[in-house]
Amino acid sequence: EEAGAAALCVHGRTPKQRPKYADRDRTGQAGAAPNWGPIKEVVSAVQIPVIANGGIETLEDAERCLKETGAAAVMSAEALLEDPALFSNEASAAIALMQPEGEDNDGMPTPIARHALKMGREFLDLAGEFPCDLKYPPTKSHIFKILHRLIGADQAEARRRETAGLELTIQEELKLVLMRCPVTDHDAIRAALDTIEARYASSPKPVIGPSWYRRWRPENVNRAR
C-alpha cells in the first residue's frame, strides 16, 4: 500500500498447501481447504481493496468468501478454466439439478453434462470469432478442462490402453475422440462435442467424474491411477 499498490490479492493457502502437491505430500497439508482468516486480517490492516483468492469453486463459495473476509472482490483461477460461467447462477442451477447416477432424463444429458457442453460450444464459437495467432492455439486444451467431468481420463493411459488393444472406459474413449481432432479444425471439434453429448444422453448414462478443480485431491489422484 505504501509503495503505491492500488489493490492487493491474497491467497488463503501457503505454497506447500497447493493442491497439485497432494500426491507427494506426506503431511496432508496439500489440497487442504484454504484459510480465509488471514485474508480477513489483511482486509482490516490496509485501506486499499483486497481481492480474496483460494477455494472459489462455485458462486456460493464466492459469496461466502466475501461475507467471511470482507474483501472487495474474489478471484478464481482453475475453477474458472473449467466453468467460465462460475460467477453466474447458471452453473449453480446445473449443480442443484444434478440427478442421481443412472437416473434417466428422456434421452437428454444430465444438467451437469449439458452445462459443460454448452460452455464448450460457446468457447469454440469465441475461438472462431477471435482467432489465435499461435501455431498451436490452446483451443482444445481449454475444452479439455471445460469437459473434464465428462472426459477426464488420463490421456497417456488412454493411448497406452488403445495401443495395447485393451478395453477403454467411456471417458478414455471420448477423451481420444476429442484428442484426435486437429487443433485448428473447429468443425471436427464440434463433431467431437456432438459425439460426447450423444454418449451422455444414452441410457444408462455414464457417471459424471470429479471436477477439474478437484483433480489433485488425493482421492482423485489415486482414482486416476
Side-chain angles (χ1 to χ4, degrees), residues 57-60 62-63 80 83-95 115 118-119 122:
E57 186 177 8
T58 65
L59 175 61
E60 289 73 19
E63 293 170 340
L80 273 171
D83 188 357
L86 174 68
F87 292 135
S88 76
N89 289 318
E90 179 180 342
S92 298
I95 294 173
H115 178 71
K118 179 176 181 289
M119 291 295 100
E122 287 186 8

Side-chain angles (χ1 to χ4, degrees), residues 59-163:
L59 175 61
E60 289 73 19
D61 290 334
E63 293 170 340
R64 184 166 56 87
C65 183
L66 287 173
K67 183 178 180 180
E68 292 186 14
T69 64
V74 298
M75 67 166 287
S76 177
E78 292 199 334
L80 273 171
L81 289 174
E82 178 175 12
D83 188 357
L86 174 68
F87 292 135
S88 76
N89 289 318
E90 179 180 342
S92 298
I95 294 173
L97 292 171
M98 189 171 179
Q99 294 168 289
E101 292 179 5
E103 184 177 327
D104 207 340
N105 192 30
D106 300 326
M108 295 283 290
T110 60
I112 286 286
R114 290 204 303 272
H115 178 71
L117 288 160
K118 179 176 181 289
M119 291 295 100
R121 289 184 172 114
E122 287 186 8
F123 173 76
L124 191 58
D125 289 342
L126 289 170
E129 185 177 353
F130 303 98
C132 177
D133 293 332
L134 297 175
K135 182 178 180 180
Y136 299 106
T139 310
K140 278 201 320 183
S141 65
H142 280 308
I143 292 180
F144 277 130
K145 296 175 179 66
I146 292 171
L147 301 184
H148 185 78
R149 298 190 72 167
L150 311 184
I151 60 170
D154 182 88
Q155 183 170 297
E157 176 65 10
R159 282 176 163 173
R160 185 192 69 78
R161 292 179 63 84
E162 182 185 47
T163 301

Side-chain angles (χ1 to χ4, degrees), residues 20-41:
K20 69 179 294 182
Y21 299 140
D23 63 335
R24 46 186 161 165
D25 174 44
R26 298 184 180 277
T27 67
Q29 292 186 68
N35 182 1
W36 291 338
I39 300 178
K40 183 177 181 179
E41 294 181 15

